[in-house]
Amino acid sequence: MIYKKLIDNIENRVGKFKSKGNIRMIKILEHFDNPCDSMKFIHIAGTNGKGSTSYFLYEILKSKFKVGLYTSPGLTSYRDRIVVGDLRISQSEFLSIGEEILEKEKLILDRYGELNKFEFLTTIAFIYFKRKNCQLVVLEVGMGGRCDSTNIIKAENKLISIITSISYDHMQYLGNTIEEISSEKAGIICQNGIVVTSNKDKKILKVLQDECKKKNASIYYSKDLCVKILKSDLQGSKFILNLEKKDYEISLDQIGLYQIENSILCLYSLFILIKKALIDFDFLKATKLIKDAKWKGRMDLVSKNPRILLDGAHNIGGIEKLRDNLKLFYFDKLYLVSSILKDKDHKKMLEEIGEIADLLILVDLESKSNEDIEILEKEAQISVKKVMCKSSLKEALNYIVPMARPDDLILVSGSLQLIKEFYILKEMDELSYD
């Protein structure tokens, strides 16, 4: 089989069809000697911030341990999701493991059905991490938590469950109320486990607390920590974090206030793991290592002339945080390039961010999951000063870049697919600026 054939096979699988109790994942992994049983996991769920928090943890822990990182979606390919030692899984290894899974899948097909897309990719990741002899895996949930393909880790192998900011997203799968959505996220909490969360909403916290009580798990809140922000601008952030009456000065190259929140959640989780002797690591070293961690596509200043900022905000919670963060930065005119998926609250998202845009260019990504550009245009015209449509991201940027002045800001946001498209263009050297 060639690599492209395997990718086509994965692409043609059902996207979000779940199996009760993750039975397909359990059965397929049995045929690979249960690779998860030999590793320890840090499991991360949430609506926004889980990718950044995962990456912060990975960047710190890889300095001492053999660490695997599993995130989604990949920025340029499925292989981006699976990383060990700063290298994504190679094309040959991805293909080889994929072929093995296709063979073993035949043994469970009649009784349990075909693996869905995310199950297939997660299975590749688990097998790869095992074969690379990973000691730790930083494991990001794909969607929800309770029924997610990653949620098959035994309690004794899960060091900690981290739950980032929860808001409305994927309601057709997770529920229509914040309590229902929170309950799905809380599904990663295990018996006698440790939970750390950055959430502040009382409704969300009650759901998490009830799940912890049911499973005799301990819960910790990063919202209760004493933090003093010294600065946050386009050069990064600096803040003081107080833990057990000791101040730690933290610097971040990653820009954005919400990244301060994510970094605090990361560091507090590590602090707890170290204190409970679950990980042997120098916490002071961790506070220094986090400085250089930069998660692509999140408050990502990819060009200074012209100023181009990428942000993967793709739901109303993410857009609200993005707008709050933009207040920190000076710009004369804001040029917004956007595209939003069908299953998002695109009308509300466009209202939230569109009010401060001088020009909005909507891009047609020609994806089945993308909302029709005509619908987005009609919704945007209510709140945006000027709206245009372009057939591609490249065309949109080629239109905006020549008119942008040094004090203007070009913002690309609204969909992770849009961010992915930007990096594909950059990789192919099809962007005509630094």
Side-chain angles (χ1 to χ4, degrees), residues 417-430:
Q417 287 190 11
L418 193 64
I419 305 300
K420 177 178 178 179
E421 181 69 18
F422 181 94
Y423 277 106
I424 289 172
L425 289 172
K426 192 175 182 183
E427 205 173 72
M428 294 170 67
D429 202 24
E430 291 194 22

Side-chain angles (χ1 to χ4, degrees), residues 100-147:
E100 290 180 57
I101 294 169
L102 289 173
E103 281 302 308
K104 298 294 186 185
E105 187 182 41
K106 293 173 185 176
L107 303 175
I108 68 166
L109 204 56
D110 287 345
R111 188 164 182 185
Y112 302 106
E114 184 180 74
L115 297 173
N116 69 31
K117 185 190 295 185
F118 195 70
E119 287 170 342
F120 197 98
L121 293 167
T122 305
T123 302
I124 292 178
F126 285 148
I127 296 167
Y128 181 69
F129 294 147
K130 163 72 173 174
R131 292 179 182 176
K132 287 293 180 180
N133 298 312
C134 289
Q135 299 161 282
L136 284 171
V137 174
V138 179
L139 186 67
E140 180 191 345
V141 166
M143 182 183 71
R146 191 175 302 279
C147 300

Side-chain angles (χ1 to χ4, degrees), residues 356-390:
I356 59 171
D358 293 276
L359 170 63
L360 166 64
I361 296 187
L362 294 165
V363 175
D364 189 353
L365 290 181
E366 296 181 356
S367 166
K368 290 178 183 177
S369 54
N370 220 54
E371 185 53 274
D372 292 339
I373 200 165
E374 293 83 7
I375 292 173
L376 295 177
E377 182 182 21
K378 189 175 179 181
E379 291 175 345
Q381 286 169 343
I382 300 168
S383 54
V384 186
K385 296 173 188 174
K386 186 178 179 183
V387 184
M388 298 177 66
C389 296
K390 296 291 180 182

Side-chain angles (χ1 to χ4, degrees), residues 204-363:
I204 295 170
L205 292 179
K206 185 178 186 311
V207 173
L208 301 184
Q209 289 158 355
D210 287 348
E211 188 77 15
C212 285
K213 190 174 180 181
K214 193 190 306 179
K215 294 181 177 175
N216 195 36
S218 305
I219 186 165
Y220 299 84
Y221 311 95
S222 62
K223 72 178 180 64
D224 292 339
L225 300 176
C226 183
V227 179
K228 182 181 180 182
I229 297 174
L230 304 176
K231 75 147 195 160
S232 187
D233 54 30
L234 284 174
Q235 279 66 55
S237 299
K238 186 175 284 188
F239 62 94
I240 294 172
L241 172 63
N242 184 278
L243 290 169
E244 294 190 350
K245 299 181 180 178
K246 185 174 179 179
D247 285 342
Y248 297 90
E249 187 172 296
I250 320 290
S251 295
L252 295 178
D253 287 344
Q254 185 93 57
I255 64 178
L257 275 175
Y258 70 75
Q259 294 295 12
I260 294 178
E261 179 182 308
N262 293 331
S263 67
I264 289 169
L265 181 61
C266 159
L267 289 169
Y268 190 36
S269 299
L270 272 179
F271 185 83
I272 291 164
L273 287 171
I274 293 166
K275 189 178 177 184
K276 290 182 177 290
L278 292 169
I279 282 182
D280 180 18
F281 202 90
D282 181 349
F283 183 72
L284 185 60
K285 184 181 179 182
T287 66
K288 304 304 177 188
L289 287 171
I290 201 169
K291 178 183 184 297
D292 299 323
K294 291 191 78 173
W295 187 228
K296 280 186 174 183
R298 277 71 171 180
M299 291 300 283
D300 191 358
L301 192 66
V302 292
S303 172
K304 293 182 179 178
N305 184 28
R307 289 197 299 175
I308 301 177
L309 183 70
L310 307 185
D311 192 84
H314 56 283
N315 51 53
I316 187 61
I319 289 291
E320 286 170 350
K321 288 191 175 186
L322 171 60
R323 180 167 172 170
D324 286 342
N325 278 264
L326 287 175
K327 293 173 186 174
L328 299 171
F329 315 128
Y330 170 78
F331 52 84
D332 185 10
K333 288 186 177 179
L334 177 65
Y335 298 110
L336 174 61
V337 181
S338 191
S339 183
I340 304 175
L341 302 187
K342 284 180 182 176
D343 65 351
K344 308 298 179 182
D345 192 349
H346 35 79
K347 185 177 181 183
K348 204 176 272 189
M349 289 169 67
L350 288 167
E351 284 173 3
E352 181 70 26
I353 195 69
E355 288 179 357
I356 59 171
D358 293 276
L359 170 63
L360 166 64
I361 296 187
L362 294 165
V363 175

